[in-house]
Amino acid sequence: MSAGDQSKIRIVQVELDVKRWLARPPTVDEVRPGQCPVCAAPSRPAGGRLGLHGHGLRGRHQWGPPELGAAAVLLEILARRFACQDCGAIITVVPRGILGRRLYGARAIALALALWGVAELAPAEVRRRVSPLTIVGATAATGWASLRRWSRAVRAGRLFPMVRALPAEASLRQVAARAATTLAAFAPGPGGLPIESAAFLGARM
Ligand SMILES: [Zn+2]
């Protein structure tokens, strides 16, 4: 696939959580987007032909704890794909919390940023709690590059864009802490949860 094709692939989240999606993957008609997210052609023009055709299922992995307090797993979700008949875009529809081009789900990343940025756990300990992989050997002792990568993505506005920017001199760990507290504020319910739990529940994208 060329770089040009990448621009015509879109991830669209729908308001279904992973648990319900796994219990019964939605049909094509249930999750067909209202319009193409690339060219804005309507998917069901009045009296016209269908603009977005079902384009099969594609397995997508989501790593991390599936629910608050659960052990991390490697989950496979069958995403629904659609093909735009006007511009050729391929649209992948996923449940809430699945991020495009990232192995970990939004909630797992929020949890990791809170444990690293706010609870100030060592990267290796964060990895032990959030990653489904058991790493042994040299890498296990030295940290977890994903924490810095995610924090850089937050800083650049590519991940959790609702997080307000920090001054350029802020450390990546401070960026992680800001992201965690921002996401925690979106947690439903009465509050009073530990920050990492609230960040997990509040991560919506
Ligand atoms: Zn289109």
Side-chain angles (χ1 to χ4, degrees):
M1 179 183 299
S2 75
D5 293 330
Q6 284 284 350
S7 67
K8 288 213 165 178
I9 294 177
R10 283 293 190 287
I11 304 280
V12 173
Q13 291 190 12
V14 293
E15 279 298 310
L16 262 178
D17 62 30
V18 167
K19 204 168 159 185
R20 282 172 58 205
W21 188 294
L22 286 171
R24 187 184 71 81
T27 65
V28 170
D29 286 331
E30 283 170 334
V31 292
R32 177 183 283 110
Q35 63 176 37
C36 172
V38 176
C39 73
S43 65
R44 297 171 194 274
R49 64 191 175 81
L50 208 52
L52 292 180
H53 286 188
H55 198 60
L57 294 161
R58 168 70 67 90
R60 284 189 63 93
H61 288 167
Q62 184 192 249
W63 297 21
E67 288 176 69
L68 189 59
V73 296
L74 198 165
L75 209 64
E76 187 176 42
I77 287 148
L78 290 175
R80 276 260 168 236
R81 295 207 303 169
F82 293 86
C84 177
Q85 303 306 297
D86 284 276
C87 74
I90 301 295
I91 300 115
T92 302
V93 178
V94 295
R96 197 168 70 203
I98 305 273
L99 300 170
R101 304 194 190 99
R102 292 188 196 278
L103 282 172
Y104 286 83
R107 289 176 148 191
I109 295 175
L111 173 64
L113 295 179
L115 290 172
W116 185 53
V118 181
E120 299 192 345
L121 297 185
E125 175 62 15
V126 178
R127 173 186 234 156
R128 199 186 62 72
R129 295 194 193 192
V130 180
S131 170
L133 305 180
T134 303
I135 312 278
V136 293
T139 320
T142 57
W144 194 17
S146 298
L147 294 171
R148 304 182 70 77
R149 192 164 59 241
W150 291 329
S151 299
R152 272 195 294 273
V154 170
R155 176 181 268 164
R158 297 192 309 272
L159 176 62
F160 303 133
M162 73 288 278
V163 177
R164 277 190 302 122
L166 280 168
E169 64 270 22
S171 69
L172 288 174
R173 205 167 197 175
Q174 287 170 323
V175 173
R178 167 70 64 89
T181 51
T182 302
L183 296 169
F186 289 98
L193 288 170
I195 180 81
E196 63 270 23
S197 302
F200 181 90
L201 294 175
R204 300 276 309 201
M205 59 133 320

